[in-house]
Amino acid sequence: MAYWLMKSEPDVFGIDDLERVRIEPWDGVRNYQARNMMRDQMKLGDLAFLYHSNCEVPGIVGIMRIEREGYPDETARDPESKYHDPAATTDNPRWYRVDVGFVRRLPRNVPLSELKARAELAGMPLVRKGNRLSVMPVTPQEWQCILNMAGE
DNA sequence: GCCAACGTTGGC
DNA sequence: GCCAACGTTGGC
């Protein structure tokens, strides 16, 4: 089983929303690196941290589970969607999504400022300046370190 | 709201 | 295939 971290803006979709809906298609990802990971590497039962970005206190707030492996992101072919991509076709969907499920909130949120201060986490793309990757792998060591920081 | 850093696009 | 221009991300 692998570990991941996925970013979302809480104003758009945050932990409160996930807890309410329980399962959510993770659509709208329009970055090839992130797409490839969702399409090729994420497996049913993998766990992922939910990270709140672009908000007052950016940080990790909860845990999700992959409930469905990569499949075409239909929002790309929907002209009404803000994620519409004219280049996406039925033959070549171009973009993929997974379904994630709510697992639990962390006992306390772990803000980015604390993640940056940890030597064990210095290898995470998340803490590197200018990194915009919205889906990234997390090592078991990093996963455990963050759980500890969250008070689990 | 600002702006640095980055990925993508498209002209050549 | 290069690279400038552009749009986006996301911390602050």
Side-chain angles (χ1 to χ4, degrees), chain A residues 122-143:
Chain A
M124 295 183 75
L126 184 71
V127 302
R128 286 209 288 272
K129 189 179 177 186
N131 194 282
R132 292 160 27 182
L133 196 57
S134 67
V135 175
M136 68 189 75
V138 174
T139 69
Q141 293 80 5
E142 291 162 349
W143 184 269

Side-chain angles (χ1 to χ4, degrees), chain A residues 100-116:
Chain A
V100 299
F102 177 83
V103 176
R104 63 182 182 273
R105 291 170 184 269
L106 294 176
R108 65 176 279 273
N109 295 348
V110 184
L112 179 61
S113 57
E114 291 185 27
L115 298 169
K116 281 181 170 174

Side-chain angles (χ1 to χ4, degrees), chain A residues 60-146:
Chain A
I60 294 171
V61 299
I63 295 176
M64 318 189 282
R65 185 190 299 110
I66 306 305
E67 301 289 351
R68 183 176 173 187
E69 295 179 5
Y71 65 105
D73 181 349
E74 293 300 328
T75 64
R77 295 199 302 113
D78 177 4
E80 301 299 307
S81 171
K82 63 175 172 173
Y83 301 127
H84 180 236
D85 178 357
T89 64
T90 310
D91 286 348
N92 180 12
R94 194 174 202 200
W95 302 113
Y96 285 75
R97 58 186 167 189
V98 297
D99 288 355
V100 299
F102 177 83
V103 176
R104 63 182 182 273
R105 291 170 184 269
L106 294 176
R108 65 176 279 273
N109 295 348
V110 184
L112 179 61
S113 57
E114 291 185 27
L115 298 169
K116 281 181 170 174
R118 286 283 184 143
E120 310 96 290
L121 303 180
M124 295 183 75
L126 184 71
V127 302
R128 286 209 288 272
K129 189 179 177 186
N131 194 282
R132 292 160 27 182
L133 196 57
S134 67
V135 175
M136 68 189 75
V138 174
T139 69
Q141 293 80 5
E142 291 162 349
W143 184 269
Q144 190 56 50
C145 176
I146 292 166

Side-chain angles (χ1 to χ4, degrees), chain A residues 12-31:
Chain A
V12 178
F13 186 87
I15 190 75
D16 293 342
D17 302 294
L18 183 62
E19 185 169 26
R20 186 172 61 249
V21 302
R22 310 311 287 191
I23 292 197
E24 175 76 1
W26 206 259
D27 50 28
V29 173
R30 298 292 179 265
N31 168 282

